[in-house]
Amino acid sequence: MKPAHGAPARVGVFGLLGSGNLGNDGSLEAVLGYLRAEHPEAVVDALCGGPEVVSGRYGIAATRLHWYRGEYRTASRAGAIAGKGLGKLVDVFRTAAWVRRHDVVIVPGMGVLEATLPLRPWGFPYALFLLCAAGRLSGTRVALVGVGAAPIGRGPTRALVRWSARLAAYRSYRDTLSRDAMLAMGVDTARDEVYPDLAFALPTPRVGAPPGPAGPVCVGVMAFHGGNDDRARSEEIHGRYLEGTTRFVRALVEDGRPVRLLTGDAVDVPVVTAILDAVDSPLVTAAEASSLTDLMKEMAAADSVVATRYHNLVCALKVGTPTLALSYAAKSDALMARMGLDAYCHPAHEVDADRMLSQFRALERRSAELRRTLTERNLIAARSLEAQFTALTAALFPATGHTPTDTRTHTLREAP
């Protein structure tokens, strides 16, 4: 669908936004910043998980993603099962009607093409497929912008993800691994580009001088239970993660280090509570962050960061704080390598507090050098995201007069 001549573009944003995940909301914030700077005339609204939060925080109209309000609760009773089933049918028509009202729909970042965390096919993968299919049928351009992807085995999740990507009018990825994963799943990626994660486009908070020796440490935790293929041993994985992380925090306290516990999603709060109860020290406190900007402020004031969630890592690296990644997926390893910190990754599936502490101390010994490296890599990321937004304008808003550029020369290169 194209806007009438001279009419402002109608732009929709889509995803699990306003649902408690700070990374998802940060990606939305980056895209809204781009739209307000480059296309201030655009009329923007959202189809999302938390419409009240999105409307209140970002000042745009928002509609609930699913007709059935209990979509992401486990259905065990007959009424709930019937409600979910009916909701799938109703959402076909709701999604199609919403898409038709727009000229462009943007899916802002997020790992929408991956299943590295537990995921049911008839939840978000189904919703994304409905969006992309409705866009193709109605002529509305659907853009998957800076998204994450990962290999998915056989089954309905793989099929829904593959067809969603195929039906989208525009795709870009946040790392080379994501593009390679979609190519392996049968998507033609010849015209798809790779840029840094959209959160690197957010403003960096102003902070004072870096903390001195033995300063505070931010530890970003996660309600980690393994991935989609780990359901049978999810509690075992979570127990090992919690025990190892708690031992690490206790070791920092024994060294006299103040520790700030951070989250990236509302579901992580019980992990913070468990660590606070287990360590029971005034040196350990919990931060209440409601945005990626809040996380960046905390991390900029720290000597070092240890983090699990992907966007906790992005925030720490963006503010230039030396970081140790508790990595649960290849995307975290790729991010750390791109930013020059690939030596400082530790597997979240098998947390070993002693080895983690050894890696952490090695990280701190190189703190000054790593801060310089991060400054350089952040400049590269900023230039690359400028190219991302130029390419997006050329693809989605060709009538605005922006000159298309060959973005292939601007993508963020893997560091040697």
Side-chain angles (χ1 to χ4, degrees), residues 66-308:
H66 299 288
W67 175 80
Y68 181 63
R69 290 180 180 271
E71 175 61 36
Y72 292 104
R73 294 195 295 267
T74 300
S76 55
R77 297 184 177 181
I81 294 171
K84 275 197 173 186
L86 177 61
K88 301 304 175 192
L89 179 61
V90 174
D91 284 344
V92 172
F93 301 98
R94 290 179 70 251
T95 303
W98 183 81
V99 169
R100 280 198 303 271
R101 295 199 296 269
H102 298 84
D103 308 302
V104 172
V105 174
I106 296 174
V107 180
M110 306 177 285
V112 297
L113 302 177
E114 63 181 52
T116 51
L117 296 174
L119 183 70
R120 299 294 187 188
W122 307 116
F124 188 77
Y126 176 73
L128 182 66
F129 170 75
L130 292 183
L131 173 81
C132 295
R136 179 62 64 94
L137 291 171
S138 66
T140 298
R141 289 161 288 181
V142 174
L144 309 181
V145 182
V147 299
I152 301 173
R154 298 179 182 276
T157 300
R158 176 186 172 95
L160 289 166
V161 165
R162 181 177 66 241
W163 276 106
S164 296
R166 286 177 172 174
L167 292 169
Y170 175 90
R171 297 179 297 270
S172 65
Y173 306 98
R174 63 188 179 190
D175 52 45
T176 303
L177 290 173
S178 295
R179 182 171 61 183
D180 291 347
M182 296 316 297
L183 178 62
M185 289 170 60
V187 176
D188 180 2
T189 62
R191 298 178 62 83
D192 300 351
E193 293 296 340
V194 175
Y195 302 94
D197 188 87
L198 288 171
F200 280 103
L202 294 173
T204 303
R206 293 173 177 263
V207 295
V217 179
C218 284
V219 178
V221 301
M222 178 178 178
F224 180 63
H225 293 77
N228 222 33
D229 298 330
D230 298 318
R231 292 179 182 273
R233 56 191 193 98
S234 63
E235 290 308 313
E236 173 195 343
I237 290 171
H238 179 66
R240 185 184 302 151
Y241 170 83
L242 180 58
E243 179 187 3
T245 305
T246 301
R247 283 186 58 204
F248 174 76
V249 170
R250 186 178 287 117
L252 292 178
V253 169
E254 289 171 355
D255 286 344
R257 302 293 294 273
V259 177
R260 289 285 277 173
L261 298 177
L262 307 175
T263 62
D265 193 295
V267 300
D268 302 332
V269 173
V271 179
V272 170
T273 302
I275 294 174
L276 288 171
D277 290 344
V279 178
D280 191 23
S281 168
L283 288 175
V284 185
T285 55
E288 295 185 4
S290 61
S291 68
L292 292 191
T293 298
D294 290 344
L295 285 179
M296 285 191 276
K297 289 177 180 177
E298 293 282 350
M299 292 169 167
D303 212 34
S304 304
V305 173
V306 178
T308 309

